[in-house]
Amino acid sequence: MTSRVDRTVGKNVSRVDGHAKVTGQAVYVDDLTTPGALFGGTVRSAVARGTLRGIRKDPSFDWTGITVVTAADIPGDNVVALIEDDQPLLAKDAIRHVYEPVALVACDDPVRLQQAIAAITLDVEPLPPVLSIEDAEAKKQIIYGKDNVQKRYVIEHELGGKTIDELILACDVVVTGRYAVHHQEQMYIEPQGMVAHWQEAGEGAEAGVGDGVHVTGSLQCPFYVHKAMKRAFALEGDRVHIGQAVTGGGFGGKEEYPSILAAHAALLSKVAGKPVRMIYGRKEDIEATTKRHPARIEITTGCTKAGELVALKVECAMDGGAYVTLTPVVLSRGILHAAGAYKWKHARIHGWAVATNTPPNGAFRGFGAPQTIWAIERHMDRIAEKLGKDPLTLRQQNLLAIGAVTVTGQTLTQSVGVVECIEKAVKSSDYFAKRAAYAKPSPAAGSRTRTRRGIGAAVFMHGAGFTGSGERRLKGKVQVDLEPGGRLRVRSASTDIGQGTETIFRQIAADAAELPFDTIEIETPNTSNVPDSGPTVASRTVMVVGSIVGKGAKMIADRVRASGTGDFATLADALLAREKKVSTLVEYEPPVAVQWNDDTYRGDAYPCYAWACDIAEVEVDLDTFETKVIGFWAAQDIGKAIHPIMCAGQVEGGTLQAIGWALYENLVMKDGHILNARMTNYVIPTSKDAPPFTTFLVEHPFSGGPSGAKGVGELPMDGGAPAIAAAVEQAIGALCNDLPLLPEDLFRAKSKSQVARS
Amino acid sequence: MIRFKVNGTVRETDAPPMARLLDVLRVPLGLTGTKEGCGEGECGACSVMLDGVPVNSCLVAVGQCEGREVVTVEGLAHGAELTPLQRAFIEDGGAQCGICTPGMLVAAEALLRRNTSPTDDDVRDAIAGNLCRCTGYQRIVDSIQAAAAAVRAKTSKASKASKAGGETGA
């Protein structure tokens, strides 16, 4: 059958939100006009751990027209409803981290608001804080449960009644390494913000505005906010209306935190009786919102002399911060990626997350995988060194492939494009020739050049969609409505936060329905107008939600075409005239073959994986230890590029975040305080730091995704840091097992290696 | 009262002279296309042109603008017709989340006004004060180069046309 219209999947159609964004017309949360709105602000703890004895308002300050609320004003449960109920919306008795919110203030003047916040004193009796993974493990202070452990997982693979240590010791070559990674700030350029308006019954004068609480803001997951608001305000779901403003980047940072900010703004609005705007400044955003989890990962492996990997032991500790937030899921994804893209006969992977008195860590692109992939990729280089093999050759020798079995017992049956990724990146970068050339020793002393180059590779994968049985529990839904003139309206909760969802969903729907691209409308997510498609996270938007967008669009189009003969628009109008509402609600059904056991942690961890090879070339100044990335090649198998330019944009943007994490970004904490909560001193890469990218989109289709598409969002975050480290190691000749790799870190690494050698 | 030209129109404000230009543009003048990302001159999301030179409007006191000319993202297009840069940012992946886009466009516009044949290094220099967390900058550089090529093509077509016209006249 020939298609009725030109297909758009695989083509670079114009970005549908592009015009509004290049003309300044796109309305972000801070651009919303809210007549009569008050400005909201937050009173935060200045100590890391303590007991709250009281909240004092300076009696000499003029409190006229100023609203102050505390935990006592919360009508429902004082919890941020997510996984555990351990985090309060406002601290009541216990203080568990610096910047913990204790009271909220609203006022019609932003200057007076800051004065009012300063006129509130918190009376806190300090307690000794737990500030690191090691502090938590020492258990001198117990701040969570009985042992400070928020969550623990173990994966065991083919141990056959032996211990993993026995299996490793039976191998020819044993290598042990310890690797560490640090915090990372998402640093979306638009800080978090929410506008809330509480409307009592009968007050809703505007047509279509229901009573209850209306919140609009910068967010990824409207139904996460909805769930938290219902609980905090003891409201039925139909009285909570959560909408998305145009969102200036998220990267996970606007996954769970917006629930807190939305509830804060709504609480102030309820008490003050007016709309309230809460827009964070940059400093408050960096201090208060979540970061990537720091981790310490120990790996011991056994392999043959020929380089065949045999047995793997991973001990992974993550710092969850003061509250659980999404830590169990981050830890889970972390350990499920800890074996890397390789075959192991035997494995034991043990992960745990501990509580500390630092701001809660949470979702950030990659979600635990960049931490463990950093470790396994660095460890592969350590094994290669010990065997005297090229590190990429060792990887090629041990790659997972179709028919191979992962450490959770998952047999890979399709869509493994890793070999092609490596071939493309190697050829384009001339990896092997450069690796050999840069390995030659420096010219004799006296004629030493000031800079040295290195080249390094990382090979990795990222599971697309929710972990394990997540999608089965989630039951994501999409609604497609027929509208006059034969147009389709797609209603989903998947937010466009810059990645291009609005454009890509139109492409998928148009092709599935065989309708022109511009006859598809995408509803802006608002919990009152769209079904719960699940959160916009986990590289699931295209593969999971996109697949039901296509299904729903096709169902409606088929009904129209089956209703008679004639052109689509005429048939559609006739059908609408007869039936009034023509609509379908489609629920996601994971492929039946995908089975997972949460108790044993065995089975199909993800429906499929995206695969990649990154190659980085660097030049390091041997006097200043500054690193310049001079080339970067990323070849990534994402199944199908629905919109190649947007996919390349994901790969390059994600990779630069990984390069930033490795070379520039460093959150400095002291006694639980962040010392560099500013863009001036928390340094993200500029256009001058970014290398020219050579990007290859490799397409080994996955049968469960639309047109074969898998996830692309997070994969690029996983491999950049280890590829950079491998290149830097070659350039400076010193080990880089811990992030970050700032000039002072490289100087120390080099000094240490020289001491070790002498 | 401070008087200055914004996007070609004379505007007045009774804001205190030390008020940030950014706040005056966004609130009383309603030009919310100019964004605040950091408030300390690092991110460049608030870039506007002041007498043709890109500046961070969070670091400019509105009193400094008396009698001068400010161009914001809203003033780049000629009516409904987008500039080559605006078109390229839509088509070539220069805009993702869009929050840095107004500032990027202003910085790039200032570059192309003085150099329509920039090298990639020239482009990276011109936008070095504008942070983007989405794109990795490659698509922004490509978008600016595509726009520069479009500007050059238009100019050469125009000069050919005028040359052809001249020959006919002769």
Side-chain angles (χ1 to χ4, degrees), chain A residues 14 21 28 31 282 652 665 678 687-688, chain B residues 26 35 40 91 96-97 124-125 133 139:
Chain A
S14 289
K21 284 177 172 174
Y28 297 78
D31 307 334
R282 180 58 59 184
E652 291 151 7
E665 300 174 36
R678 295 168 58 181
S687 56
K688 299 285 284 177
Chain B
R26 285 184 55 83
K35 307 300 181 189
E40 57 178 359
E91 301 299 330
Q96 284 193 25
C97 86
R124 286 178 185 272
D125 280 339
R133 191 61 152 167
R139 305 281 138 186

mmCIF file with all atom_site columns, all heavy atoms in Angstrom, chain A residues 14 21 28 31 282 652 665 678 687-688, chain B residues 26 35 40 91 96-97 124-125 133 139:
data_model
loop_
_atom_site.group_PDB
_atom_site.id
_atom_site.type_symbol
_atom_site.label_atom_id
_atom_site.label_alt_id
_atom_site.label_comp_id
_atom_site.label_asym_id
_atom_site.label_entity_id
_atom_site.label_seq_id
_atom_site.pdbx_PDB_ins_code
_atom_site.Cartn_x
_atom_site.Cartn_y
_atom_site.Cartn_z
_atom_site.occupancy
_atom_site.B_iso_or_equiv
_atom_site.pdbx_formal_charge
_atom_site.auth_seq_id
_atom_site.auth_comp_id
_atom_site.auth_asym_id
_atom_site.auth_atom_id
_atom_site.pdbx_PDB_model_num
ATOM 1   N N   . SER A 1 14  ? 10.498 21.231 10.588 1.00 0.00 ? 14  SER A N   1
ATOM 2   C CA  . SER A 1 14  ? 10.723 22.423 11.413 1.00 0.00 ? 14  SER A CA  1
ATOM 3   C C   . SER A 1 14  ? 10.220 22.186 12.817 1.00 0.00 ? 14  SER A C   1
ATOM 4   O O   . SER A 1 14  ? 9.112  21.689 13.005 1.00 0.00 ? 14  SER A O   1
ATOM 5   C CB  . SER A 1 14  ? 9.954  23.620 10.853 1.00 0.00 ? 14  SER A CB  1
ATOM 6   O OG  . SER A 1 14  ? 10.530 24.043 9.669  1.00 0.00 ? 14  SER A OG  1
ATOM 7   N N   . LYS A 1 21  ? 10.029 30.451 20.140 1.00 0.00 ? 21  LYS A N   1
ATOM 8   C CA  . LYS A 1 21  ? 11.278 30.539 20.891 1.00 0.00 ? 21  LYS A CA  1
ATOM 9   C C   . LYS A 1 21  ? 12.265 31.533 20.278 1.00 0.00 ? 21  LYS A C   1
ATOM 10  O O   . LYS A 1 21  ? 13.023 32.161 21.015 1.00 0.00 ? 21  LYS A O   1
ATOM 11  C CB  . LYS A 1 21  ? 11.907 29.143 21.022 1.00 0.00 ? 21  LYS A CB  1
ATOM 12  C CG  . LYS A 1 21  ? 11.169 28.291 22.065 1.00 0.00 ? 21  LYS A CG  1
ATOM 13  C CD  . LYS A 1 21  ? 11.705 26.879 22.183 1.00 0.00 ? 21  LYS A CD  1
ATOM 14  C CE  . LYS A 1 21  ? 11.034 26.169 23.382 1.00 0.00 ? 21  LYS A CE  1
ATOM 15  N NZ  . LYS A 1 21  ? 11.425 24.746 23.447 1.00 0.00 ? 21  LYS A NZ  1
ATOM 16  N N   . TYR A 1 28  ? 7.473  31.290 29.368 1.00 0.00 ? 28  TYR A N   1
ATOM 17  C CA  . TYR A 1 28  ? 8.041  30.490 30.464 1.00 0.00 ? 28  TYR A CA  1
ATOM 18  C C   . TYR A 1 28  ? 7.370  30.961 31.759 1.00 0.00 ? 28  TYR A C   1
ATOM 19  O O   . TYR A 1 28  ? 6.677  31.986 31.774 1.00 0.00 ? 28  TYR A O   1
ATOM 20  C CB  . TYR A 1 28  ? 9.554  30.688 30.527 1.00 0.00 ? 28  TYR A CB  1
ATOM 21  C CG  . TYR A 1 28  ? 10.277 30.214 29.276 1.00 0.00 ? 28  TYR A CG  1
ATOM 22  C CD1 . TYR A 1 28  ? 10.289 30.974 28.116 1.00 0.00 ? 28  TYR A CD1 1
ATOM 23  C CD2 . TYR A 1 28  ? 10.938 28.985 29.253 1.00 0.00 ? 28  TYR A CD2 1
ATOM 24  C CE1 . TYR A 1 28  ? 10.933 30.538 26.961 1.00 0.00 ? 28  TYR A CE1 1
ATOM 25  C CE2 . TYR A 1 28  ? 11.586 28.539 28.106 1.00 0.00 ? 28  TYR A CE2 1
ATOM 26  C CZ  . TYR A 1 28  ? 11.585 29.319 26.966 1.00 0.00 ? 28  TYR A CZ  1
ATOM 27  O OH  . TYR A 1 28  ? 12.219 28.874 25.834 1.00 0.00 ? 28  TYR A OH  1
ATOM 28  N N   . ASP A 1 31  ? 7.466  34.444 32.799 1.00 0.00 ? 31  ASP A N   1
ATOM 29  C CA  . ASP A 1 31  ? 6.862  35.387 31.849 1.00 0.00 ? 31  ASP A CA  1
ATOM 30  C C   . ASP A 1 31  ? 5.343  35.449 31.992 1.00 0.00 ? 31  ASP A C   1
ATOM 31  O O   . ASP A 1 31  ? 4.691  36.247 31.317 1.00 0.00 ? 31  ASP A O   1
ATOM 32  C CB  . ASP A 1 31  ? 7.188  34.970 30.405 1.00 0.00 ? 31  ASP A CB  1
ATOM 33  C CG  . ASP A 1 31  ? 8.686  34.770 30.175 1.00 0.00 ? 31  ASP A CG  1
ATOM 34  O OD1 . ASP A 1 31  ? 9.483  35.390 30.891 1.00 0.00 ? 31  ASP A OD1 1
ATOM 35  O OD2 . ASP A 1 31  ? 9.040  33.968 29.284 1.00 0.00 ? 31  ASP A OD2 1
ATOM 36  N N   . ARG A 1 282 ? 19.189 32.068 40.885 1.00 0.00 ? 282 ARG A N   1
ATOM 37  C CA  . ARG A 1 282 ? 20.151 30.994 40.596 1.00 0.00 ? 282 ARG A CA  1
ATOM 38  C C   . ARG A 1 282 ? 20.751 30.391 41.863 1.00 0.00 ? 282 ARG A C   1
ATOM 39  O O   . ARG A 1 282 ? 20.893 29.185 41.990 1.00 0.00 ? 282 ARG A O   1
ATOM 40  C CB  . ARG A 1 282 ? 21.263 31.529 39.685 1.00 0.00 ? 282 ARG A CB  1
ATOM 41  C CG  . ARG A 1 282 ? 22.319 30.505 39.323 1.00 0.00 ? 282 ARG A CG  1
ATOM 42  C CD  . ARG A 1 282 ? 21.765 29.282 38.630 1.00 0.00 ? 282 ARG A CD  1
ATOM 43  N NE  . ARG A 1 282 ? 21.075 29.589 37.403 1.00 0.00 ? 282 ARG A NE  1
ATOM 44  C CZ  . ARG A 1 282 ? 20.434 28.668 36.661 1.00 0.00 ? 282 ARG A CZ  1
ATOM 45  N NH1 . ARG A 1 282 ? 20.404 27.403 37.034 1.00 0.00 ? 282 ARG A NH1 1
ATOM 46  N NH2 . ARG A 1 282 ? 19.802 29.038 35.557 1.00 0.00 ? 282 ARG A NH2 1
ATOM 47  N N   . GLU A 1 652 ? 24.926 15.468 21.397 1.00 0.00 ? 652 GLU A N   1
ATOM 48  C CA  . GLU A 1 652 ? 25.975 16.462 21.633 1.00 0.00 ? 652 GLU A CA  1
ATOM 49  C C   . GLU A 1 652 ? 25.756 17.185 22.963 1.00 0.00 ? 652 GLU A C   1
ATOM 50  O O   . GLU A 1 652 ? 26.715 17.386 23.730 1.00 0.00 ? 652 GLU A O   1
ATOM 51  C CB  . GLU A 1 652 ? 26.001 17.458 20.459 1.00 0.00 ? 652 GLU A CB  1
ATOM 52  C CG  . GLU A 1 652 ? 26.511 16.776 19.186 1.00 0.00 ? 652 GLU A CG  1
ATOM 53  C CD  . GLU A 1 652 ? 25.954 17.356 17.897 1.00 0.00 ? 652 GLU A CD  1
ATOM 54  O OE1 . GLU A 1 652 ? 25.262 18.392 17.934 1.00 0.00 ? 652 GLU A OE1 1
ATOM 55  O OE2 . GLU A 1 652 ? 26.214 16.738 16.832 1.00 0.00 ? 652 GLU A OE2 1
ATOM 56  N N   . GLU A 1 665 ? 33.096 20.971 36.164 1.00 0.00 ? 665 GLU A N   1
ATOM 57  C CA  . GLU A 1 665 ? 32.088 21.163 37.210 1.00 0.00 ? 665 GLU A CA  1
ATOM 58  C C   . GLU A 1 665 ? 32.536 20.516 38.512 1.00 0.00 ? 665 GLU A C   1
ATOM 59  O O   . GLU A 1 665 ? 33.002 19.377 38.523 1.00 0.00 ? 665 GLU A O   1
ATOM 60  C CB  . GLU A 1 665 ? 30.747 20.568 36.743 1.00 0.00 ? 665 GLU A CB  1
ATOM 61  C CG  . GLU A 1 665 ? 30.269 21.239 35.464 1.00 0.00 ? 665 GLU A CG  1
ATOM 62  C CD  . GLU A 1 665 ? 29.026 20.601 34.874 1.00 0.00 ? 665 GLU A CD  1
ATOM 63  O OE1 . GLU A 1 665 ? 28.164 20.163 35.651 1.00 0.00 ? 665 GLU A OE1 1
ATOM 64  O OE2 . GLU A 1 665 ? 28.933 20.558 33.640 1.00 0.00 ? 665 GLU A OE2 1
ATOM 65  N N   . ARG A 1 678 ? 26.847 29.465 42.463 1.00 0.00 ? 678 ARG A N   1
ATOM 66  C CA  . ARG A 1 678 ? 26.689 30.541 41.482 1.00 0.00 ? 678 ARG A CA  1
ATOM 67  C C   . ARG A 1 678 ? 27.230 30.063 40.135 1.00 0.00 ? 678 ARG A C   1
ATOM 68  O O   . ARG A 1 678 ? 28.100 29.198 40.087 1.00 0.00 ? 678 ARG A O   1
ATOM 69  C CB  . ARG A 1 678 ? 27.482 31.776 41.924 1.00 0.00 ? 678 ARG A CB  1
ATOM 70  C CG  . ARG A 1 678 ? 26.983 32.398 43.206 1.00 0.00 ? 678 ARG A CG  1
ATOM 71  C CD  . ARG A 1 678 ? 27.967 33.402 43.741 1.00 0.00 ? 678 ARG A CD  1
ATOM 72  N NE  . ARG A 1 678 ? 28.235 34.449 42.757 1.00 0.00 ? 678 ARG A NE  1
ATOM 73  C CZ  . ARG A 1 678 ? 29.085 35.453 42.952 1.00 0.00 ? 678 ARG A CZ  1
ATOM 74  N NH1 . ARG A 1 678 ? 29.761 35.534 44.093 1.00 0.00 ? 678 ARG A NH1 1
ATOM 75  N NH2 . ARG A 1 678 ? 29.267 36.364 42.028 1.00 0.00 ? 678 ARG A NH2 1
ATOM 76  N N   . SER A 1 687 ? 30.964 27.785 24.815 1.00 0.00 ? 687 SER A N   1
ATOM 77  C CA  . SER A 1 687 ? 31.190 27.402 23.411 1.00 0.00 ? 687 SER A CA  1
ATOM 78  C C   . SER A 1 687 ? 32.682 27.239 23.116 1.00 0.00 ? 687 SER A C   1
ATOM 79  O O   . SER A 1 687 ? 33.056 26.530 22.193 1.00 0.00 ? 687 SER A O   1
ATOM 80  C CB  . SER A 1 687 ? 30.603 28.479 22.488 1.00 0.00 ? 687 SER A CB  1
ATOM 81  O OG  . SER A 1 687 ? 31.165 29.742 22.805 1.00 0.00 ? 687 SER A OG  1
ATOM 82  N N   . LYS A 1 688 ? 33.528 27.898 23.905 1.00 0.00 ? 688 LYS A N   1
ATOM 83  C CA  . LYS A 1 688 ? 34.983 27.797 23.694 1.00 0.00 ? 688 LYS A CA  1
ATOM 84  C C   . LYS A 1 688 ? 35.541 26.511 24.318 1.00 0.00 ? 688 LYS A C   1
ATOM 85  O O   . LYS A 1 688 ? 36.596 26.038 23.902 1.00 0.00 ? 688 LYS A O   1
ATOM 86  C CB  . LYS A 1 688 ? 35.701 29.006 24.312 1.00 0.00 ? 688 LYS A CB  1
ATOM 87  C CG  . LYS A 1 688 ? 35.307 30.337 23.719 1.00 0.00 ? 688 LYS A CG  1
ATOM 88  C CD  . LYS A 1 688 ? 35.915 30.548 22.346 1.00 0.00 ? 688 LYS A CD  1
ATOM 89  C CE  . LYS A 1 688 ? 37.394 30.889 22.454 1.00 0.00 ? 688 LYS A CE  1
ATOM 90  N NZ  . LYS A 1 688 ? 37.990 31.009 21.112 1.00 0.00 ? 688 LYS A NZ  1
ATOM 91  N N   . ARG B 2 26  ? 11.477 43.698 31.107 1.00 0.00 ? 26  ARG B N   1
ATOM 92  C CA  . ARG B 2 26  ? 10.556 42.579 31.351 1.00 0.00 ? 26  ARG B CA  1
ATOM 93  C C   . ARG B 2 26  ? 9.228  43.011 31.983 1.00 0.00 ? 26  ARG B C   1
ATOM 94  O O   . ARG B 2 26  ? 8.183  42.502 31.626 1.00 0.00 ? 26  ARG B O   1
ATOM 95  C CB  . ARG B 2 26  ? 11.214 41.521 32.251 1.00 0.00 ? 26  ARG B CB  1
ATOM 96  C CG  . ARG B 2 26  ? 12.253 40.661 31.534 1.00 0.00 ? 26  ARG B CG  1
ATOM 97  C CD  . ARG B 2 26  ? 12.787 39.573 32.445 1.00 0.00 ? 26  ARG B CD  1
ATOM 98  N NE  . ARG B 2 26  ? 11.729 38.759 33.000 1.00 0.00 ? 26  ARG B NE  1
ATOM 99  C CZ  . ARG B 2 26  ? 11.154 37.730 32.367 1.00 0.00 ? 26  ARG B CZ  1
ATOM 100 N NH1 . ARG B 2 26  ? 11.583 37.364 31.187 1.00 0.00 ? 26  ARG B NH1 1
ATOM 101 N NH2 . ARG B 2 26  ? 10.176 37.055 32.945 1.00 0.00 ? 26  ARG B NH2 1
ATOM 102 N N   . LYS B 2 35  ? 15.621 36.966 28.987 1.00 0.00 ? 35  LYS B N   1
ATOM 103 C CA  . LYS B 2 35  ? 15.482 36.051 30.136 1.00 0.00 ? 35  LYS B CA  1
ATOM 104 C C   . LYS B 2 35  ? 16.535 36.308 31.209 1.00 0.00 ? 35  LYS B C   1
ATOM 105 O O   . LYS B 2 35  ? 17.638 36.761 30.920 1.00 0.00 ? 35  LYS B O   1
ATOM 106 C CB  . LYS B 2 35  ? 15.629 34.603 29.660 1.00 0.00 ? 35  LYS B CB  1
ATOM 107 C CG  . LYS B 2 35  ? 14.723 34.213 28.499 1.00 0.00 ? 35  LYS B CG  1
ATOM 108 C CD  . LYS B 2 35  ? 13.248 34.361 28.840 1.00 0.00 ? 35  LYS B CD  1
ATOM 109 C CE  . LYS B 2 35  ? 12.369 33.935 27.674 1.00 0.00 ? 35  LYS B CE  1
ATOM 110 N NZ  . LYS B 2 35  ? 10.969 34.265 27.896 1.00 0.00 ? 35  LYS B NZ  1
ATOM 111 N N   . GLU B 2 40  ? 24.006 37.662 37.244 1.00 0.00 ? 40  GLU B N   1
ATOM 112 C CA  . GLU B 2 40  ? 25.347 38.171 37.530 1.00 0.00 ? 40  GLU B CA  1
ATOM 113 C C   . GLU B 2 40  ? 26.249 38.184 36.297 1.00 0.00 ? 40  GLU B C   1
ATOM 114 O O   . GLU B 2 40  ? 27.468 38.152 36.426 1.00 0.00 ? 40  GLU B O   1
ATOM 115 C CB  . GLU B 2 40  ? 25.994 37.394 38.681 1.00 0.00 ? 40  GLU B CB  1
ATOM 116 C CG  . GLU B 2 40  ? 26.072 35.899 38.442 1.00 0.00 ? 40  GLU B CG  1
ATOM 117 C CD  . GLU B 2 40  ? 26.768 35.181 39.598 1.00 0.00 ? 40  GLU B CD  1
ATOM 118 O OE1 . GLU B 2 40  ? 27.189 35.832 40.553 1.00 0.00 ? 40  GLU B OE1 1
ATOM 119 O OE2 . GLU B 2 40  ? 26.894 33.950 39.498 1.00 0.00 ? 40  GLU B OE2 1
ATOM 120 N N   . GLU B 2 91  ? 15.487 25.666 12.090 1.00 0.00 ? 91  GLU B N   1
ATOM 121 C CA  . GLU B 2 91  ? 15.685 24.542 11.166 1.00 0.00 ? 91  GLU B CA  1
ATOM 122 C C   . GLU B 2 91  ? 16.891 23.674 11.518 1.00 0.00 ? 91  GLU B C   1
ATOM 123 O O   . GLU B 2 91  ? 16.885 22.486 11.240 1.00 0.00 ? 91  GLU B O   1
ATOM 124 C CB  . GLU B 2 91  ? 15.876 25.064 9.723  1.00 0.00 ? 91  GLU B CB  1
ATOM 125 C CG  . GLU B 2 91  ? 14.716 25.878 9.186  1.00 0.00 ? 91  GLU B CG  1
ATOM 126 C CD  . GLU B 2 91  ? 13.410 25.102 9.133  1.00 0.00 ? 91  GLU B CD  1
ATOM 127 O OE1 . GLU B 2 91  ? 13.458 23.869 8.949  1.00 0.00 ? 91  GLU B OE1 1
ATOM 128 O OE2 . GLU B 2 91  ? 12.346 25.733 9.302  1.00 0.00 ? 91  GLU B OE2 1
ATOM 129 N N   . GLN B 2 96  ? 16.820 24.508 21.497 1.00 0.00 ? 96  GLN B N   1
ATOM 130 C CA  . GLN B 2 96  ? 16.170 23.340 22.107 1.00 0.00 ? 96  GLN B CA  1
ATOM 131 C C   . GLN B 2 96  ? 15.166 23.859 23.130 1.00 0.00 ? 96  GLN B C   1
ATOM 132 O O   . GLN B 2 96  ? 14.030 24.142 22.783 1.00 0.00 ? 96  GLN B O   1
ATOM 133 C CB  . GLN B 2 96  ? 17.201 22.381 22.711 1.00 0.00 ? 96  GLN B CB  1
ATOM 134 C CG  . GLN B 2 96  ? 17.929 21.552 21.643 1.00 0.00 ? 96  GLN B CG  1
ATOM 135 C CD  . GLN B 2 96  ? 18.716 20.390 22.236 1.00 0.00 ? 96  GLN B CD  1
ATOM 136 O OE1 . GLN B 2 96  ? 18.427 19.872 23.313 1.00 0.00 ? 96  GLN B OE1 1
ATOM 137 N NE2 . GLN B 2 96  ? 19.760 19.978 21.530 1.00 0.00 ? 96  GLN B NE2 1
ATOM 138 N N   . CYS B 2 97  ? 15.607 23.999 24.398 1.00 0.00 ? 97  CYS B N   1
ATOM 139 C CA  . CYS B 2 97  ? 14.638 24.484 25.391 1.00 0.00 ? 97  CYS B CA  1
ATOM 140 C C   . CYS B 2 97  ? 14.285 25.937 25.140 1.00 0.00 ? 97  CYS B C   1
ATOM 141 O O   . CYS B 2 97  ? 13.236 26.406 25.551 1.00 0.00 ? 97  CYS B O   1
ATOM 142 C CB  . CYS B 2 97  ? 15.143 24.264 26.815 1.00 0.00 ? 97  CYS B CB  1
ATOM 143 S SG  . CYS B 2 97  ? 16.207 25.569 27.456 1.00 0.00 ? 97  CYS B SG  1
ATOM 144 N N   . ARG B 2 124 ? 32.325 30.834 17.835 1.00 0.00 ? 124 ARG B N   1
ATOM 145 C CA  . ARG B 2 124 ? 32.443 30.407 19.238 1.00 0.00 ? 124 ARG B CA  1
ATOM 146 C C   . ARG B 2 124 ? 32.881 31.564 20.133 1.00 0.00 ? 124 ARG B C   1
ATOM 147 O O   . ARG B 2 124 ? 32.442 31.664 21.281 1.00 0.00 ? 124 ARG B O   1
ATOM 148 C CB  . ARG B 2 124 ? 33.395 29.216 19.347 1.00 0.00 ? 124 ARG B CB  1
ATOM 149 C CG  . ARG B 2 124 ? 32.768 27.916 18.823 1.00 0.00 ? 124 ARG B CG  1
ATOM 150 C CD  . ARG B 2 124 ? 33.726 26.724 18.870 1.00 0.00 ? 124 ARG B CD  1
ATOM 151 N NE  . ARG B 2 124 ? 33.116 25.546 18.260 1.00 0.00 ? 124 ARG B NE  1
ATOM 152 C CZ  . ARG B 2 124 ? 32.349 24.651 18.900 1.00 0.00 ? 124 ARG B CZ  1
ATOM 153 N NH1 . ARG B 2 124 ? 32.114 24.785 20.193 1.00 0.00 ? 124 ARG B NH1 1
ATOM 154 N NH2 . ARG B 2 124 ? 31.821 23.622 18.261 1.00 0.00 ? 124 ARG B NH2 1
ATOM 155 N N   . ASP B 2 125 ? 33.747 32.447 19.606 1.00 0.00 ? 125 ASP B N   1
ATOM 156 C CA  . ASP B 2 125 ? 34.130 33.633 20.378 1.00 0.00 ? 125 ASP B CA  1
ATOM 157 C C   . ASP B 2 125 ? 32.926 34.539 20.620 1.00 0.00 ? 125 ASP B C   1
ATOM 158 O O   . ASP B 2 125 ? 32.729 35.051 21.720 1.00 0.00 ? 125 ASP B O   1
ATOM 159 C CB  . ASP B 2 125 ? 35.197 34.449 19.615 1.00 0.00 ? 125 ASP B CB  1
ATOM 160 C CG  . ASP B 2 125 ? 36.587 33.856 19.776 1.00 0.00 ? 125 ASP B CG  1
ATOM 161 O OD1 . ASP B 2 125 ? 36.791 33.095 20.745 1.00 0.00 ? 125 ASP B OD1 1
ATOM 162 O OD2 . ASP B 2 125 ? 37.460 34.145 18.927 1.00 0.00 ? 125 ASP B OD2 1
ATOM 163 N N   . ARG B 2 133 ? 22.857 24.842 27.968 1.00 0.00 ? 133 ARG B N   1
ATOM 164 C CA  . ARG B 2 133 ? 23.064 23.547 28.622 1.00 0.00 ? 133 ARG B CA  1
ATOM 165 C C   . ARG B 2 133 ? 22.469 22.407 27.797 1.00 0.00 ? 133 ARG B C   1
ATOM 166 O O   . ARG B 2 133 ? 22.621 21.257 28.159 1.00 0.00 ? 133 ARG B O   1
ATOM 167 C CB  . ARG B 2 133 ? 22.427 23.603 30.021 1.00 0.00 ? 133 ARG B CB  1
ATOM 168 C CG  . ARG B 2 133 ? 22.766 22.449 30.951 1.00 0.00 ? 133 ARG B CG  1
ATOM 169 C CD  . ARG B 2 133 ? 24.248 22.311 31.280 1.00 0.00 ? 133 ARG B CD  1
ATOM 170 N NE  . ARG B 2 133 ? 24.453 21.685 32.592 1.00 0.00 ? 133 ARG B NE  1
ATOM 171 C CZ  . ARG B 2 133 ? 25.610 21.224 33.026 1.00 0.00 ? 133 ARG B CZ  1
ATOM 172 N NH1 . ARG B 2 133 ? 26.694 21.309 32.282 1.00 0.00 ? 133 ARG B NH1 1
ATOM 173 N NH2 . ARG B 2 133 ? 25.710 20.690 34.235 1.00 0.00 ? 133 ARG B NH2 1
ATOM 174 N N   . ARG B 2 139 ? 25.165 22.586 17.279 1.00 0.00 ? 139 ARG B N   1
ATOM 175 C CA  . ARG B 2 139 ? 24.048 22.981 16.402 1.00 0.00 ? 139 ARG B CA  1
ATOM 176 C C   . ARG B 2 139 ? 23.867 24.494 16.396 1.00 0.00 ? 139 ARG B C   1
ATOM 177 O O   . ARG B 2 139 ? 23.300 25.048 15.455 1.00 0.00 ? 139 ARG B O   1
ATOM 178 C CB  . ARG B 2 139 ? 22.741 22.314 16.841 1.00 0.00 ? 139 ARG B CB  1
ATOM 179 C CG  . ARG B 2 139 ? 22.817 20.815 16.931 1.00 0.00 ? 139 ARG B CG  1
ATOM 180 C CD  . ARG B 2 139 ? 22.727 20.120 15.597 1.00 0.00 ? 139 ARG B CD  1
ATOM 181 N NE  . ARG B 2 139 ? 23.697 19.036 15.560 1.00 0.00 ? 139 ARG B NE  1
ATOM 182 C CZ  . ARG B 2 139 ? 23.968 18.277 14.499 1.00 0.00 ? 139 ARG B CZ  1
ATOM 183 N NH1 . ARG B 2 139 ? 23.346 18.484 13.360 1.00 0.00 ? 139 ARG B NH1 1
ATOM 184 N NH2 . ARG B 2 139 ? 24.868 17.329 14.565 1.00 0.00 ? 139 ARG B NH2 1
#
